[in-house]
Amino acid sequence: MEFTRNENQELIAQTIKNFGDKHIRPRLMEWDESQEFPIEVFKQLGELGLMGVIVPAEYGGSGFGYFEYVTAISELARICGSIGLSMAAHNSLCTGHILAFGNEAQKKKYLPKLATAEFIGAWGLTEANTGSDAMRMQCVAKKDGDHWVINGSKNWITHGITGDVAVVLARTGELLDSRGITAFVVERGTPGFRGGKKENKLGMRASETAEMIFEDCRVHQDQVLGEVGDGFVQAMKVLDGGRISIAALSLGIAKGAFDAALKYSQEREQFGKPISSFQAISFKLADMATQIEAAELLTFQAADLKNRGQKVTRESAFAKYYASEVCVRVATEAVQIFGGYGYTKDFPVEKFYRDSKLCTIGEGTSEIQKLVIARELLK
């Protein structure tokens, strides 16, 4: 396996750095404080090709692989976790689901608009009482002639209010039947489909998280993704890839926190010398750097398997679990290195600290990752 950055990755990283310095850094704390979802930023990312990274060129995307995708997410998250999270959710979940399981007509209809961010995408699996226990979902779809009628709600949905198109998982069969769930593409403006409560979050505050509510929402059978009853199996495959994106998000946040801590430790003086010269601080930096390196290798290992079309269930869980836990540890240590200043909003690490925790929860908690890994090991 060769993980040296290729030319495309270098170009993506530099493009994001330049874009971030101009369009994200100056306003990221403003967006964080107000919980504003800066949709104009995502329209601009669409123009740069970053909202359809893995979408083939024939559908208007950039046509890159997972190495470039991991690089794009991590470099955005290195600047702002919220922007990285929304970009990842749009690419991996909504767009990725249609790319993987849509028919040709569905791909031609939706992928070009998603890839350019003309459409912002959402993906609805989680409900208020069914997070990890997805097969007990209460959102149901019932056949009525050429249509399906959807009733229920989805919670914790990225872009649940703003998203122009959503892939929604609804129960079409019996409770606990893994072949009793179906995926639908639902467009904003469809009668009976609306956004609900927006969550007031600890971190990732500029990435919109909200309910999606369905009340006698009629969706034509042409909007079914794949076969009726295949939705749960599809979702698990989508999450395999999605976990790589959260590993990349974790990696970026960890790198951002580390960059800030390293720089501060070399500038901050105590007892007449930089605090980086004290073993207590230098050893923290050594641990942080080592863990980031290991997380990056696990993430690119999973990306490599994904690029080659191989099964990635175990390796994506390895990457997501380890990288997300490293992300929290590194952000915590960064605050510690900053001391009292790390606890204020005038310095960058408190935001990395708040943003980091979501990585151990979203798209499968650390506990779920361990369950996935154990099942794979014990097969």
mmCIF file of all heavy atoms in Angstrom, residues 27-46:
data_model
loop_
_atom_site.group_PDB
_atom_site.id
_atom_site.type_symbol
_atom_site.label_atom_id
_atom_site.label_comp_id
_atom_site.label_asym_id
_atom_site.label_seq_id
_atom_site.Cartn_x
_atom_site.Cartn_y
_atom_site.Cartn_z
ATOM 1 N N ARG A 27 -15.046 33.687 9.626
ATOM 2 C CA ARG A 27 -16.412 33.698 10.141
ATOM 3 C C ARG A 27 -16.797 32.440 10.925
ATOM 4 O O ARG A 27 -17.938 32.321 11.372
ATOM 5 C CB ARG A 27 -17.399 33.887 8.978
ATOM 6 C CG ARG A 27 -17.234 35.215 8.241
ATOM 7 C CD ARG A 27 -18.376 35.450 7.282
ATOM 8 N NE ARG A 27 -19.651 35.544 7.958
ATOM 9 C CZ ARG A 27 -20.837 35.507 7.339
ATOM 10 N NH1 ARG A 27 -20.896 35.352 6.027
ATOM 11 N NH2 ARG A 27 -21.958 35.601 8.032
ATOM 12 N N LEU A 28 -15.861 31.520 11.114
ATOM 13 C CA LEU A 28 -16.250 30.239 11.710
ATOM 14 C C LEU A 28 -16.790 30.378 13.127
ATOM 15 O O LEU A 28 -17.712 29.667 13.521
ATOM 16 C CB LEU A 28 -15.116 29.215 11.632
ATOM 17 C CG LEU A 28 -13.781 29.434 12.335
ATOM 18 C CD1 LEU A 28 -13.826 28.956 13.774
ATOM 19 C CD2 LEU A 28 -12.683 28.677 11.596
ATOM 20 N N MET A 29 -16.232 31.299 13.928
ATOM 21 C CA MET A 29 -16.753 31.466 15.285
ATOM 22 C C MET A 29 -18.100 32.182 15.293
ATOM 23 O O MET A 29 -18.953 31.911 16.138
ATOM 24 C CB MET A 29 -15.739 32.213 16.150
ATOM 25 C CG MET A 29 -14.522 31.380 16.520
ATOM 26 S SD MET A 29 -14.937 29.772 17.257
ATOM 27 C CE MET A 29 -15.729 30.276 18.791
ATOM 28 N N GLU A 30 -18.295 33.063 14.343
ATOM 29 C CA GLU A 30 -19.600 33.722 14.193
ATOM 30 C C GLU A 30 -20.679 32.699 13.884
ATOM 31 O O GLU A 30 -21.770 32.706 14.475
ATOM 32 C CB GLU A 30 -19.501 34.754 13.065
ATOM 33 C CG GLU A 30 -20.818 35.416 12.681
ATOM 34 C CD GLU A 30 -20.708 36.212 11.397
ATOM 35 O OE1 GLU A 30 -19.585 36.654 11.037
ATOM 36 O OE2 GLU A 30 -21.759 36.389 10.732
ATOM 37 N N TRP A 31 -20.383 31.796 12.948
ATOM 38 C CA TRP A 31 -21.344 30.738 12.615
ATOM 39 C C TRP A 31 -21.563 29.809 13.796
ATOM 40 O O TRP A 31 -22.689 29.361 14.051
ATOM 41 C CB TRP A 31 -20.849 29.923 11.421
ATOM 42 C CG TRP A 31 -20.709 30.695 10.149
ATOM 43 C CD1 TRP A 31 -21.482 31.753 9.735
ATOM 44 C CD2 TRP A 31 -19.748 30.482 9.108
ATOM 45 N NE1 TRP A 31 -21.048 32.200 8.511
ATOM 46 C CE2 TRP A 31 -19.992 31.439 8.102
ATOM 47 C CE3 TRP A 31 -18.705 29.563 8.931
ATOM 48 C CZ2 TRP A 31 -19.223 31.507 6.933
ATOM 49 C CZ3 TRP A 31 -17.953 29.621 7.778
ATOM 50 C CH2 TRP A 31 -18.205 30.583 6.785
ATOM 51 N N ASP A 32 -20.506 29.510 14.525
ATOM 52 C CA ASP A 32 -20.599 28.628 15.682
ATOM 53 C C ASP A 32 -21.501 29.240 16.755
ATOM 54 O O ASP A 32 -22.374 28.567 17.311
ATOM 55 C CB ASP A 32 -19.207 28.370 16.248
ATOM 56 C CG ASP A 32 -19.212 27.384 17.398
ATOM 57 O OD1 ASP A 32 -19.316 26.166 17.136
ATOM 58 O OD2 ASP A 32 -19.113 27.818 18.557
ATOM 59 N N GLU A 33 -21.301 30.514 17.026
ATOM 60 C CA GLU A 33 -22.085 31.191 18.069
ATOM 61 C C GLU A 33 -23.560 31.278 17.696
ATOM 62 O O GLU A 33 -24.447 31.069 18.525
ATOM 63 C CB GLU A 33 -21.527 32.601 18.311
ATOM 64 C CG GLU A 33 -20.138 32.630 18.934
ATOM 65 C CD GLU A 33 -20.155 32.307 20.417
ATOM 66 O OE1 GLU A 33 -21.233 32.341 21.035
ATOM 67 O OE2 GLU A 33 -19.073 32.017 20.963
ATOM 68 N N SER A 34 -23.827 31.584 16.430
ATOM 69 C CA SER A 34 -25.219 31.797 15.999
ATOM 70 C C SER A 34 -25.883 30.511 15.510
ATOM 71 O O SER A 34 -27.081 30.500 15.238
ATOM 72 C CB SER A 34 -25.262 32.834 14.881
ATOM 73 O OG SER A 34 -24.598 32.346 13.722
ATOM 74 N N GLN A 35 -25.103 29.437 15.390
ATOM 75 C CA GLN A 35 -25.571 28.164 14.826
ATOM 76 C C GLN A 35 -26.104 28.330 13.407
ATOM 77 O O GLN A 35 -27.027 27.648 12.984
ATOM 78 C CB GLN A 35 -26.630 27.516 15.724
ATOM 79 C CG GLN A 35 -26.127 27.216 17.120
ATOM 80 C CD GLN A 35 -27.031 26.278 17.870
ATOM 81 O OE1 GLN A 35 -27.170 25.110 17.497
ATOM 82 N NE2 GLN A 35 -27.649 26.755 18.929
ATOM 83 N N GLU A 36 -25.488 29.226 12.673
ATOM 84 C CA GLU A 36 -25.879 29.462 11.287
ATOM 85 C C GLU A 36 -25.272 28.396 10.384
ATOM 86 O O GLU A 36 -24.078 28.101 10.477
ATOM 87 C CB GLU A 36 -25.407 30.838 10.827
ATOM 88 C CG GLU A 36 -25.694 31.133 9.358
ATOM 89 C CD GLU A 36 -25.088 32.434 8.866
ATOM 90 O OE1 GLU A 36 -24.618 33.235 9.711
ATOM 91 O OE2 GLU A 36 -25.071 32.653 7.646
ATOM 92 N N PHE A 37 -26.092 27.811 9.528
ATOM 93 C CA PHE A 37 -25.592 26.893 8.505
ATOM 94 C C PHE A 37 -25.223 27.734 7.288
ATOM 95 O O PHE A 37 -26.108 28.254 6.602
ATOM 96 C CB PHE A 37 -26.661 25.858 8.152
ATOM 97 C CG PHE A 37 -26.274 24.931 7.029
ATOM 98 C CD1 PHE A 37 -25.163 24.107 7.134
ATOM 99 C CD2 PHE A 37 -27.017 24.880 5.857
ATOM 100 C CE1 PHE A 37 -24.797 23.250 6.107
ATOM 101 C CE2 PHE A 37 -26.661 24.026 4.816
ATOM 102 C CZ PHE A 37 -25.550 23.220 4.947
ATOM 103 N N PRO A 38 -23.924 27.892 7.004
ATOM 104 C CA PRO A 38 -23.490 28.821 5.953
ATOM 105 C C PRO A 38 -23.614 28.202 4.556
ATOM 106 O O PRO A 38 -22.628 27.802 3.933
ATOM 107 C CB PRO A 38 -22.036 29.101 6.321
ATOM 108 C CG PRO A 38 -21.567 27.835 6.968
ATOM 109 C CD PRO A 38 -22.775 27.260 7.684
ATOM 110 N N ILE A 39 -24.821 28.161 4.056
ATOM 111 C CA ILE A 39 -25.088 27.440 2.807
ATOM 112 C C ILE A 39 -24.282 28.003 1.649
ATOM 113 O O ILE A 39 -23.896 27.267 0.732
ATOM 114 C CB ILE A 39 -26.603 27.439 2.498
ATOM 115 C CG1 ILE A 39 -26.898 26.418 1.391
ATOM 116 C CG2 ILE A 39 -27.108 28.828 2.170
ATOM 117 C CD1 ILE A 39 -28.374 26.117 1.227
ATOM 118 N N GLU A 40 -23.954 29.308 1.709
ATOM 119 C CA GLU A 40 -23.185 29.892 0.610
ATOM 120 C C GLU A 40 -21.800 29.259 0.496
ATOM 121 O O GLU A 40 -21.246 29.135 -0.603
ATOM 122 C CB GLU A 40 -23.063 31.421 0.789
ATOM 123 C CG GLU A 40 -22.168 31.896 1.916
ATOM 124 C CD GLU A 40 -22.822 31.839 3.304
ATOM 125 O OE1 GLU A 40 -24.007 31.432 3.399
ATOM 126 O OE2 GLU A 40 -22.148 32.220 4.276
ATOM 127 N N VAL A 41 -21.239 28.837 1.620
ATOM 128 C CA VAL A 41 -19.933 28.178 1.602
ATOM 129 C C VAL A 41 -20.013 26.857 0.834
ATOM 130 O O VAL A 41 -19.118 26.506 0.056
ATOM 131 C CB VAL A 41 -19.412 27.925 3.032
ATOM 132 C CG1 VAL A 41 -18.221 26.972 3.037
ATOM 133 C CG2 VAL A 41 -19.030 29.246 3.684
ATOM 134 N N PHE A 42 -21.106 26.134 1.021
ATOM 135 C CA PHE A 42 -21.249 24.845 0.352
ATOM 136 C C PHE A 42 -21.532 25.003 -1.135
ATOM 137 O O PHE A 42 -21.124 24.155 -1.940
ATOM 138 C CB PHE A 42 -22.309 24.013 1.070
ATOM 139 C CG PHE A 42 -21.891 23.665 2.465
ATOM 140 C CD1 PHE A 42 -22.275 24.452 3.531
ATOM 141 C CD2 PHE A 42 -21.032 22.607 2.688
ATOM 142 C CE1 PHE A 42 -21.839 24.174 4.815
ATOM 143 C CE2 PHE A 42 -20.582 22.319 3.962
ATOM 144 C CZ PHE A 42 -20.986 23.106 5.030
ATOM 145 N N LYS A 43 -22.192 26.079 -1.504
ATOM 146 C CA LYS A 43 -22.359 26.373 -2.926
ATOM 147 C C LYS A 43 -20.985 26.624 -3.564
ATOM 148 O O LYS A 43 -20.708 26.168 -4.675
ATOM 149 C CB LYS A 43 -23.260 27.602 -3.114
ATOM 150 C CG LYS A 43 -24.664 27.458 -2.554
ATOM 151 C CD LYS A 43 -25.470 26.390 -3.269
ATOM 152 C CE LYS A 43 -26.920 26.352 -2.758
ATOM 153 N NZ LYS A 43 -27.708 25.283 -3.412
ATOM 154 N N GLN A 44 -20.117 27.334 -2.837
ATOM 155 C CA GLN A 44 -18.767 27.592 -3.336
ATOM 156 C C GLN A 44 -17.934 26.311 -3.381
ATOM 157 O O GLN A 44 -17.164 26.088 -4.322
ATOM 158 C CB GLN A 44 -18.073 28.645 -2.455
ATOM 159 C CG GLN A 44 -18.685 30.031 -2.571
ATOM 160 C CD GLN A 44 -18.156 30.990 -1.505
ATOM 161 O OE1 GLN A 44 -18.110 30.647 -0.325
ATOM 162 N NE2 GLN A 44 -17.771 32.176 -1.917
ATOM 163 N N LEU A 45 -18.101 25.454 -2.370
ATOM 164 C CA LEU A 45 -17.409 24.162 -2.393
ATOM 165 C C LEU A 45 -17.885 23.322 -3.579
ATOM 166 O O LEU A 45 -17.112 22.556 -4.161
ATOM 167 C CB LEU A 45 -17.639 23.409 -1.081
ATOM 168 C CG LEU A 45 -16.956 23.972 0.173
ATOM 169 C CD1 LEU A 45 -17.381 23.178 1.410
ATOM 170 C CD2 LEU A 45 -15.429 23.961 0.030
ATOM 171 N N GLY A 46 -19.160 23.470 -3.923
ATOM 172 C CA GLY A 46 -19.690 22.786 -5.101
ATOM 173 C C GLY A 46 -19.000 23.241 -6.368
ATOM 174 O O GLY A 46 -18.687 22.438 -7.259
#
